[in-house]
Amino acid sequence: MKPLEVTIKSKQNQQLKAWRKLKTSKGRQKAQRYLIEGWHLVEEAILSKAAIDKIIVSEANLALFNETFPTLNHPIEVLADFLVADLAETETSQGIFAVLAMATAKESWQPLANKYLLIDQVQDPGNLGTLIRTADAAGFDGIIIGDGTVDMYNDKVIRATQGSLWHLDIQQMALEKAIPLLQTHAVPVLATALYQKAIDYRTLDKTNPKVAIIVGNEGRGVQPTILEQADHLIYIPMYGKAESLNVAIAAAILMFHFV
Amino acid sequence: MKPLEVTIKSKQNQQLKAWRKLKTSKGRQKAQRYLIEGWHLVEEAILSKAAIDKIIVSEANLALFNETFPTLNHPIEVLADFLVADLAETETSQGIFAVLAMATAKESWQPLANKYLLIDQVQDPGNLGTLIRTADAAGFDGIIIGDGTVDMYNDKVIRATQGSLWHLDIQQMALEKAIPLLQTHAVPVLATALYQKAIDYRTLDKTNPKVAIIVGNEGRGVQPTILEQADHLIYIPMYGKAESLNVAIAAAILMFHFV
């Protein structure tokens, strides 16, 4: 199955043109595909049995690639080295990419596991990626990404996840719809809120294996209508003069408390 | 004290030239000064009584500035609006800056407080800034920034601190020297390390108000020679398939455990 020669030799190549479109959110939505880059991510995608359409290797990387993955069955294209920069999102590209199929939303999805992180309108790609990576490390089972959150297939998000996006059940769904589903399955829903309205997270029952935690936008926090649906409003006491915590930091403290 | 007219009108202005040099680490070292940008940071610097040399306001911002700070006694320069981009580090500058004096290292410094975060060769400015912000929120008293860590006066670091750099006792000092000082003052020194060598952080005594936590480089962790000096090597158990935690996330979980 291993190609021995360069298959993509020109900027005008139709496949290359199609892949380039995956660099924008619009292009990804239309194709229902996304692009990843770098040895670590491609290896994680393979190991995680992610939905890989195609692996793209630069000519300079071909020998190392064949050595690293001697028994791989994925379709492979070999990119002329001068075209690497054309596809790369990073300044120092490693010359290895993959195109993957987006997960399709399931209308019948149910929260059958124990621990969920719910994300309400987080805007920074690094924050979203770190939230996904940290939820994985904390042993959370799933993530629900609400409307108005940054595109999870953005390359900066994927890099910050370090591959954790393929380890968890990730659903893109309105939180207004997800919260009652969780509650039907006896998962207590906790939302981070301001001091005045909320209780110290450490006062809650830690013995229940089920928990859902909602974190919100970097500036505004969780939307008021979402707060109203939650079972408990919680806060992290702060001791110094800092006014707030970064959203990924706050989520980490909470998730590792409820592990 | 409030100037009513523009004092900096040309790219060739000597003060403007000197301030521009503060955008590089080398320029900051030479001048022992650093530049901050944006309403929030300038306000935090004023409220924190940071060592402000000068405040720089764009002409467009002057009325709002005088209204916001009616009784301020700092020297102020007014920058012609077309020169804002010349000094700005962000694409959408708010047109307000300040020049501050760096803290000078004290040879006689002693760790007389309870809680310290020690930083070993962290490279990402966002991570260093978030570490400082989170240490502040966790009520830590001081931070010791070891050799080989990214310049703390880098504008990305300062932005990520959200002003917390002025709330804590921050020392730049070789960790090899700081650790024995902490130990002399009966502060137990914990270093984050790999599973095989370390103990679960939750098994340690939480009742001691004194603690120092060392976190390390994003890729390599804490240096082996530093690990050898620590009293305890600790790790955060991970439950999912993620291979590691972001350094600021790991530090947050540990600091909020020992609050």
Side-chain angles (χ1 to χ4, degrees):
Chain A
M1 286 292 294
K2 299 294 158 53
L4 294 170
E5 32 182 78
V6 175
T7 52
I8 316 278
K9 301 174 188 174
S10 149
K11 274 209 180 204
Q12 305 312 318
N13 178 287
Q14 290 305 314
Q15 282 196 92
L16 183 61
K17 279 186 176 177
W19 297 333
R20 268 201 302 262
K21 289 186 182 158
L22 302 180
K23 290 178 166 197
T24 68
S25 189
K26 195 177 153 192
R28 290 189 290 268
Q29 274 306 321
K30 203 167 168 189
Q32 290 290 301
R33 296 283 179 283
Y34 63 104
L35 188 68
I36 65 170
E37 180 175 349
W39 280 97
H40 178 71
L41 279 176
V42 171
E43 193 161 3
E44 267 296 312
I46 292 168
L47 293 173
S48 307
K49 303 194 193 314
I52 299 174
D53 258 12
K54 197 153 267 187
I55 295 174
I56 304 154
V57 188
S58 70
E59 197 179 0
N61 269 310
L62 190 57
L64 179 60
F65 181 82
N66 284 332
E67 205 177 289
T68 311
F69 304 108
T71 60
L72 213 58
N73 269 325
H74 296 285
I76 295 164
E77 302 287 347
V78 182
L79 194 63
D81 290 330
F82 80 97
L83 291 172
V84 166
D86 204 52
L87 208 53
E89 296 270 14
T90 56
E91 279 177 40
T92 52
S93 177
Q94 297 180 335
I96 179 164
F97 306 84
V99 174
L100 290 89
M102 286 183 183
T104 47
K106 288 170 209 139
E107 271 304 312
S108 59
W109 179 84
Q110 296 288 331
L112 301 177
N114 285 335
K115 290 186 164 69
Y116 291 90
L117 179 68
L118 276 62
I119 297 174
D120 181 33
Q121 301 192 338
V122 164
Q123 291 306 301
D124 180 82
N127 283 343
L128 180 58
T130 304
L131 283 164
I132 294 171
R133 175 180 174 194
T134 308
D136 183 12
F140 270 51
D141 303 292
I143 295 182
I144 300 166
I145 298 183
D147 303 336
T149 299
V150 59
D151 179 359
M152 68 170 276
Y153 296 110
N154 172 315
D155 75 298
K156 284 182 195 148
V157 175
I158 295 175
R159 251 182 286 143
T161 71
Q162 299 212 349
S164 286
L165 79 160
W166 302 304
H167 304 162
L168 300 167
D169 175 15
I170 302 185
Q171 299 292 327
Q172 306 209 48
M173 180 191 288
L175 299 188
E176 291 83 347
K177 198 179 139 190
I179 294 168
L181 271 180
L182 287 158
Q183 288 164 332
T184 303
H185 286 83
V187 181
V189 177
L190 319 182
T192 51
L194 297 174
Y195 281 46
Q196 298 90 306
K197 305 178 183 173
I199 55 170
D200 184 338
Y201 71 101
R202 295 167 302 183
T203 63
L204 281 168
D205 176 23
K206 260 185 75 166
T207 60
N208 187 347
K210 287 178 184 270
V211 70
I213 297 169
I214 314 178
V215 293
N217 177 270
E218 288 85 351
R220 299 182 306 273
V222 177
Q223 298 175 76
T225 53
I226 303 284
L227 290 177
E228 276 171 31
Q229 286 183 273
D231 297 304
H232 300 281
L233 303 186
I234 57 171
Y235 74 89
I236 299 172
M238 280 185 276
Y239 299 87
K241 284 182 262 178
E243 288 163 20
S244 64
L245 289 165
N246 165 281
V247 59
I249 295 285
I253 295 166
L254 296 172
M255 290 192 288
F256 273 86
H257 177 76
F258 288 104
V259 287
Chain B
M1 287 291 295
K2 297 295 160 50
L4 293 169
E5 31 182 79
V6 175
T7 53
I8 316 277
K9 300 175 187 175
S10 149
K11 275 209 180 204
Q12 304 313 317
N13 178 287
Q14 291 305 315
Q15 281 197 91
L16 184 61
K17 280 185 176 177
W19 297 333
R20 267 201 303 262
K21 289 186 182 158
L22 302 180
K23 289 177 165 196
T24 67
S25 189
K26 194 177 153 193
R28 289 189 290 268
Q29 274 307 321
K30 203 167 168 189
Q32 290 290 302
R33 296 283 179 282
Y34 64 103
L35 188 68
I36 64 170
E37 181 176 349
W39 280 97
H40 178 70
L41 279 176
V42 172
E43 193 161 2
E44 267 295 314
I46 294 167
L47 293 173
S48 307
K49 304 194 192 315
I52 299 174
D53 258 11
K54 197 153 265 187
I55 295 174
I56 305 154
V57 187
S58 71
E59 196 179 1
N61 269 309
L62 190 57
L64 179 59
F65 180 82
N66 284 332
E67 205 177 291
T68 311
F69 303 108
T71 62
L72 214 56
N73 269 325
H74 297 285
I76 295 165
E77 301 287 345
V78 182
L79 194 64
D81 290 330
F82 80 98
L83 291 172
V84 166
D86 203 51
L87 208 52
E89 297 269 15
T90 56
E91 279 177 41
T92 52
S93 177
Q94 296 180 336
I96 179 164
F97 307 84
V99 174
L100 289 89
M102 287 184 182
T104 47
K106 288 171 208 139
E107 270 305 311
S108 59
W109 180 84
Q110 297 287 333
L112 301 178
N114 285 334
K115 291 187 163 70
Y116 291 90
L117 179 67
L118 278 61
I119 297 174
D120 181 33
Q121 301 192 337
V122 164
Q123 291 307 300
D124 180 81
N127 283 344
L128 180 59
T130 304
L131 283 164
I132 295 171
R133 175 180 174 194
T134 309
D136 183 13
F140 270 51
D141 303 292
I143 295 182
I144 300 165
I145 298 184
D147 302 337
T149 298
V150 61
D151 180 0
M152 67 169 277
Y153 296 110
N154 172 315
D155 75 297
K156 284 182 195 150
V157 175
I158 296 174
R159 251 181 287 143
T161 71
Q162 299 211 351
S164 287
L165 79 161
W166 302 304
H167 303 161
L168 300 167
D169 175 14
I170 302 185
Q171 299 292 326
Q172 305 209 47
M173 180 190 288
L175 299 188
E176 291 84 348
K177 197 179 140 192
I179 294 169
L181 272 181
L182 287 157
Q183 288 165 332
T184 303
H185 286 82
V187 182
V189 177
L190 320 182
T192 50
L194 298 175
Y195 279 47
Q196 298 92 305
K197 305 179 184 174
I199 56 170
D200 184 337
Y201 72 102
R202 295 168 302 184
T203 62
L204 282 168
D205 175 23
K206 261 184 74 167
T207 60
N208 187 347
K210 287 177 183 273
V211 70
I213 297 170
I214 314 177
V215 293
N217 176 270
E218 288 86 350
R220 299 182 306 273
V222 177
Q223 299 176 75
T225 52
I226 303 284
L227 290 178
E228 277 171 30
Q229 286 184 272
D231 297 303
H232 299 282
L233 302 186
I234 57 172
Y235 74 89
I236 299 171
M238 280 186 276
Y239 300 86
K241 283 183 260 177
E243 289 163 19
S244 64
L245 288 166
N246 166 281
V247 60
I249 295 286
I253 294 166
L254 295 172
M255 290 192 288
F256 273 86
H257 178 75
F258 288 104
V259 287

